[in-house]
Amino acid sequence: MTDTPSGAGALASEAVLRWARQMGLAAGISEERRLAAMRLDVLAGRALPRGGTADVELTAHWAAFVCWVDDQIDRRGLGSVPGELERFTTSLRRVLTCDAATSAADAPQAVVLAWLWERTAAGMSDRWRKRFTADYRDFLDACEEEVAARRSGTRLPLADYVELRRRTITLLPMLNVLERTGHAHLVEDPLVDAQLRDLRWALADVAGWANDLASQVQDAAAGQDNLVSLIARRDDCPTDQARARVAAMIEQRRAEFRATALALRTTPTLPQPQLRELRRYVDLVETFMAATLHWLASTGRFALDDEPAHRSQEPAAADALRTDPPRRQPGTDGEWSGLG
């Protein structure tokens, strides 16, 4: 399988770069090169393999914004001064709280979020709007908690780190975006609410842990803890052993994800129309899992500034980030699953 998106929604990396430049997310040659190396067109195209151009573009725009915000916090050290990150996040919270257009004087991050929100929330239900807003606010809360822990030198125990990482990876807000761009809505029903929560959390965990594998060298260079360094310290083992243990954790979590997806597909108590909608949503989440892991294994996002953009993954990371070709699942009304 190649890294070139195909189908109706095929998107050129130049189109993502052009939009980011217009929105102020790629100022200067070095930032443009970094964004181009991320190949967010690949992520969006694989997340929506049959999506239309407008949907794939909007997904890629969100991914670019998510990566940009993450870079402000991690790569540029936003929040090293008390109150700095909180001022940054306040403008983002205001966009979602007021649901109003921003002025030219607003912070750049607020202008971009308002632009994305206006195009994504249009036509979506009030329940969806509330869920997205809650998930994105929780992401901002988690970022503030993470930065506060870094400033104080607090080293989180494993369970606390895993819970915080699930919130800082921005996967839950992106899943909400994909409801809009993938035209597969979350089924809200007490019969499946807990399982859908588990499915979404498992995806966030896998993405967060795989991200930590991919970014471990960069995080170590910045003096920041991630799951690999935490496991190495807890188990008093070398980094390569810690990476292998994280890879095993990822595989176990993927197995739990697959089991939950199968249980949801075969839910016997939902009416057929709801069950079909549920299966479409599970298909979307599975495909996004595969797209995310493929992208993490191939993106240049985690190269250090003095390294080639497409640094090869170490063996443990390559195994953990490997995805199998999509295969048709029985009883899914002809939809394709993104995981083997």
Side-chain angles (χ1 to χ4, degrees):
M1 302 179 74
T2 69
D3 279 347
T4 303
S6 60
L11 177 67
S13 60
E14 291 81 5
V16 180
L17 182 58
R18 184 167 55 252
W19 174 83
R21 190 185 298 119
Q22 292 170 349
M23 301 302 291
L25 302 184
I29 297 299
S30 62
E31 289 191 6
E32 290 186 5
R33 288 175 177 168
R34 174 165 166 73
L35 180 59
M38 292 185 195
R39 296 308 311 276
L40 296 173
D41 54 307
V42 172
L43 174 62
R46 283 177 172 263
L48 300 173
R50 293 188 299 277
T53 299
D55 289 326
V56 175
E57 281 185 348
L58 184 56
T59 303
H61 294 162
W62 270 104
F65 177 67
V66 164
C67 290
W68 182 84
V69 169
D70 185 67
D71 279 353
Q72 303 311 299
I73 298 171
D74 287 338
R75 196 175 182 92
R76 305 194 174 191
L78 180 66
S80 56
V81 177
E84 185 180 27
L85 177 62
E86 288 76 9
R87 286 190 293 274
F88 180 89
T89 59
T90 293
S91 63
L92 299 175
R93 295 178 191 276
R94 189 183 304 120
V95 171
L96 299 177
T97 300
C98 299
D99 195 15
T102 60
S103 71
D106 281 321
Q109 65 271 16
V111 173
V112 180
L113 180 58
W115 189 97
L116 291 167
W117 176 248
E118 179 182 356
R119 286 154 180 78
T120 307
M124 300 301 285
S125 68
D126 287 341
R127 296 179 75 175
W128 179 91
R129 288 168 178 251
K130 290 177 181 177
R131 183 170 70 251
F132 179 92
T133 299
D135 285 341
Y136 200 81
R137 284 177 179 166
D138 187 61
F139 157 71
L140 296 175
D141 290 344
C143 289
E144 292 174 8
E145 292 168 25
E146 181 181 54
V147 166
R150 288 175 183 170
R151 281 201 306 261
S152 66
T154 301
R155 289 180 167 178
L156 298 176
L158 179 60
D160 291 349
Y161 178 86
V162 165
E163 181 179 354
L164 185 63
R165 191 69 179 106
R166 180 183 298 154
R167 298 164 59 209
T168 61
I169 192 60
T170 333
L171 257 290
L172 298 183
M174 277 301 296
L175 273 179
N176 296 330
V177 169
L178 284 167
E179 283 187 59
R180 156 71 170 80
T181 59
H183 306 282
H185 301 291
L186 179 72
V187 173
E188 298 184 74
D189 189 293
L191 293 172
V192 293
D193 284 347
Q195 287 175 304
L196 282 169
R197 179 205 62 204
D198 291 345
L199 188 78
R200 287 160 57 90
W201 282 4
L203 171 59
D205 288 344
V206 168
W209 303 350
N211 187 298
D212 281 9
L213 268 184
S215 67
Q216 181 260 321
V217 174
Q218 184 189 61
D219 289 340
Q224 296 174 177
D225 252 347
N226 78 12
L227 186 58
V228 177
S229 59
L230 191 151
I231 293 292
R233 184 167 60 248
R234 186 199 67 173
D235 296 349
D236 191 22
C237 66
T239 298
D240 60 343
Q241 291 184 21
R243 292 178 66 89
R245 291 175 190 184
V246 171
M249 289 173 60
I250 293 170
E251 187 51 42
Q252 176 60 37
R253 200 70 174 109
R254 289 179 70 184
E256 293 166 358
F257 174 90
R258 288 190 290 266
T260 302
L262 179 60
L264 284 166
R265 289 183 183 283
T266 55
T267 300
T269 49
L270 286 179
Q272 279 301 310
Q274 271 190 295
L275 183 58
R276 284 194 293 270
E277 186 67 29
L278 176 64
R279 287 171 174 171
R280 280 194 293 271
Y281 183 79
V282 172
D283 286 340
L284 182 77
V285 177
E286 288 189 310
T287 301
F288 188 43
M289 166 83 87
T292 300
L293 292 177
H294 174 87
W295 176 72
L296 284 169
S298 59
T299 181
R301 171 165 169 70
F302 301 110
L304 297 173
D305 290 337
D306 57 352
E307 286 186 322
H310 292 284
R311 176 170 54 87
S312 61
Q313 298 289 337
E314 295 183 35
D319 289 344
L321 302 177
R322 178 183 59 81
T323 57
D324 298 319
R327 61 185 176 87
R328 193 179 297 276
Q329 297 282 354
T332 60
D333 300 313
E335 297 292 335
W336 286 90
S337 165
L339 291 179

